[in-house]
Amino acid sequence: MARVLAAPPVDSTLEPVFGDGGLPVVGHTLEYIRDPLKLLGSRWEKYGEVSWLTMAGQKWITVLGPNACQQVLQNADKAFVNSDGWSLLIGPFFHGGLMLLDSEEHLRHRRIMQQAFTRDRLTKSVDALNPVTATGLDAWQGGRDVQVYPALKALTLEVATSIFMGGAEDSTDADIALLNASFVACVQAATSIVRYRVPGTRWKRGLDGRAVLDGFFRRYLPARRATETDDLFSVLCHIEGDNGERFSDDEVIDHMIFLLMAAHDTSTITLSTMMQYLGQHPEWQDKCRAESEALGTDAPSLAQLDELPSVDLVMKECLRLVSPTPVVARRAIKDTEVQGKFVPAGTYASVAPHFTHHMAQYWPNPEEFDPGRFADDRREDKVHRYAWEPFGGGVHKCIGMFFAGAEIKTIMHHLLLRFDWSVDPDYVAPLNFTSLPFPEDGQPVQLRRR
């Protein structure tokens, strides 16, 4: 039954936000995990752009459609903050990460960190990406029903560890496996219903995972402080702001944990999705491979990646179909409005670009794989400034989006030169949205080495 979140001020022309809490205790959490598009679609049909529901033990407004998303993400009246929204979900596991900072603190950290993502550093990162990717793919075996998602996750973690840390010199395979499991535990804790350190819960596993990650990076911190190298860990230890300010040890650790998670988790699902759709659409796989072969190199430079337009189109379409970060969190710190609806101070907001990416009002045949929609002669993504926003928007737009694009295209280039693959045309990935999306079946493909 629809109820009002809060009555607007008596002298206001604003309308109230309507919604419903869902089931006792869990609210709509399980519905979201099972099928977020179905849940959000039902909210859109019933309530429109802004409604409220209960998730993670709190009332949230769901912000749907590009107009509402743009208003909250651009945050012109500075009513919404990042830190409180994300902190409720992942604060104990990724505190201090750039996404969990606000205002002057966020601006200070971002200004310093931007020096780690310059064009020159990105060029060096791509040069370092190639040999790591090649070595990682040497171990891949062809066959039927090869589960590429876990293989890609291992590869992107290896890539991130190498590029961001310059390698983890004395780490064993068991150390890296524990690192990966710890990242997974931290991310999946976001939707934990029990949010206390209770044995057997996702929350407890997330807290344990954070302790493992903290210990791992602190082990290598002194060496990175002592010697300046090109890897991100060392860069964060040595870069300075305009006034000579530098990150403390704790700040470096916090940023490394968050960046390494973001770099390999989001890239993994995008690469996995690309392999699925290229396997189901061999004409696009052939087109992408022809461009990669035309480069005449198995170690493309950053500039050469721009000569892979079809790979770029496929990547953008897959970021639309499966948004690596389906929703972003905010919290109102003062009374405000969203699309004419009254939002009281303290309200959590779930902004859903993933829903926008599937709206037929903006994307013809939205469930169809059609990379050409991003081509210069169509540019369906330009129908609205916030029609396509897989990297967020406003001052918190992902600082690593250009690195992510270069990493994905580099790895896909190597895959195309080394392998052919196919996927059953009727296959639908069973995506799990317990945290960031991933295919529960490991994303099987029929893989053949060329």
Side-chain angles (χ1 to χ4, degrees):
M1 180 178 178
R3 290 179 290 144
V4 170
L5 175 65
V10 293
D11 58 348
S12 168
T13 61
L14 298 176
E15 299 176 6
V17 174
F18 285 91
D20 59 88
L23 296 173
V25 183
V26 300
H28 289 276
T29 303
L30 299 180
E31 291 176 70
Y32 176 85
I33 290 173
R34 283 195 295 266
D35 191 340
L37 285 178
K38 182 178 179 180
L39 171 64
L40 297 176
S42 70
R43 312 302 289 181
W44 173 267
E45 293 297 327
K46 190 172 183 179
Y47 301 113
E49 293 174 290
V50 185
S51 62
W52 73 268
L53 48 64
T54 300
M55 288 186 70
Q58 296 286 343
K59 289 181 179 179
W60 293 72
I61 59 169
T62 56
V63 180
L64 305 176
N67 293 319
C69 288
Q70 180 174 8
Q71 184 178 348
V72 175
L73 293 178
Q74 288 188 338
N75 197 23
D77 63 351
K78 295 181 171 54
F80 290 96
V81 295
N82 241 38
S83 54
D84 286 358
W86 282 118
S87 292
L88 176 68
L89 299 175
I90 59 174
F93 321 109
F94 296 108
H95 54 79
L98 196 61
M99 192 173 72
L100 281 78
L101 303 178
D102 277 300
S103 304
E104 291 303 314
E105 185 181 28
H106 171 262
L107 183 60
R108 178 179 75 85
H109 281 247
R110 192 175 180 101
R111 281 176 173 168
I112 298 174
M113 196 175 294
Q114 279 174 337
Q115 298 176 57
F117 291 94
T118 62
R119 179 79 180 183
D120 285 346
R121 293 195 188 279
L122 190 55
T123 298
K124 291 178 180 179
S125 293
V126 171
D127 291 342
L129 263 169
N130 284 298
V132 180
T133 301
T135 300
L137 291 178
D138 282 343
W140 280 35
Q141 300 295 320
R144 298 182 60 84
D145 295 330
V146 175
Q147 294 188 349
V148 295
Y149 180 81
L152 286 167
K153 200 168 194 309
L155 176 62
T156 57
L157 181 58
E158 185 177 354
V159 165
T161 302
S162 177
I163 302 303
F164 286 11
M165 295 186 61
E169 299 86 351
D170 58 345
S171 295
T172 65
D173 289 344
D175 290 331
I176 299 301
L178 179 59
L179 194 69
N180 196 5
S182 298
F183 277 120
V184 171
C186 287
V187 172
Q188 292 192 348
T191 53
S192 181
I193 294 172
V194 178
R195 307 178 80 78
Y196 300 96
R197 190 187 282 273
V198 177
T201 62
R202 289 201 300 270
W203 196 258
K204 170 68 161 56
R205 288 193 293 271
L207 293 173
D208 292 344
R210 169 69 197 208
V212 169
L213 297 173
D214 195 276
F216 179 84
F217 287 104
R218 287 191 190 280
R219 190 167 94 202
Y220 294 101
L221 182 65
R224 296 309 187 275
R225 283 289 194 199
T227 305
E228 186 170 2
T229 55
D230 286 332
D231 61 89
L232 181 65
F233 200 175
S234 178
V235 170
L236 292 180
C237 287
H238 294 276
I239 53 177
E240 297 182 351
D242 295 338
N243 298 317
E245 64 270 34
R246 299 172 71 174
F247 289 137
S248 68
D249 286 357
D250 286 344
E251 289 171 338
V252 170
I253 298 298
D254 289 342
H255 285 309
M256 282 299 298
I257 290 174
F258 179 76
L259 288 170
L260 199 63
M261 177 279 295
H264 91 277
D265 257 4
T266 55
S267 296
T268 300
I269 186 57
T270 301
L271 283 162
S272 178
T273 306
M274 290 173 74
M275 289 196 72
Q276 174 195 331
Y277 283 104
L278 288 176
Q280 293 175 314
H281 297 270
E283 72 282 6
W284 275 100
Q285 186 177 155
D286 291 343
K287 188 182 297 187
C288 290
R289 182 174 292 108
E291 291 174 359
S292 284
E293 290 175 340
L295 289 186
T297 179
D298 58 2
S301 65
L302 179 62
Q304 286 176 309
L305 294 177
D306 292 334
E307 299 175 37
L308 302 175
S310 294
V311 174
D312 189 64
L313 295 178
V314 170
M315 178 182 71
K316 288 177 178 176
E317 176 69 337
C318 289
L319 285 166
R320 182 189 71 82
L321 287 165
V322 182
S323 303
T325 306
V327 299
V328 295
R330 298 289 188 269
R331 191 184 192 193
I333 55 172
K334 62 181 180 181
D335 288 354
T336 187
E337 62 83 24
V338 179
Q339 297 299 291
K341 303 291 181 66
F342 174 64
V343 178
T347 302
Y348 290 97
S350 175
V351 184
H354 183 54
F355 179 76
T356 303
H357 293 171
H358 290 263
M359 293 179 72
Q361 296 94 316
Y362 302 97
W363 304 95
N365 302 312
E367 304 311 313
E368 179 182 322
F369 174 73
D370 182 10
R373 67 174 85 241
F374 290 92
D376 289 340
D377 60 341
R378 292 172 62 185
R379 293 310 301 265
E380 292 176 12
D381 57 310
K382 295 298 184 182
V383 68
H384 190 290
R385 185 175 178 183
Y386 275 68
W388 186 77
E389 282 298 324
F391 297 103
V395 297
H396 287 279
K397 195 163 189 174
C398 177
I399 196 171
M401 62 182 180
F402 294 112
F403 172 82
E407 177 191 13
I408 290 166
K409 286 190 277 190
T410 298
I411 292 174
M412 184 53 62
H413 173 79
H414 284 262
L415 284 166
L416 289 162
L417 293 183
R418 288 167 176 258
F419 298 99
D420 291 307
W421 64 91
S422 62
V423 175
D424 185 334
D426 296 325
Y427 170 81
V428 177
L431 294 176
N432 184 311
F433 286 88
T434 301
S435 54
L436 302 181
F438 68 93
E440 289 185 313
D441 61 353
Q443 189 68 73
V445 307
Q446 184 170 334
L447 195 66
R448 183 180 66 85
R449 187 171 288 276
R450 292 172 60 80

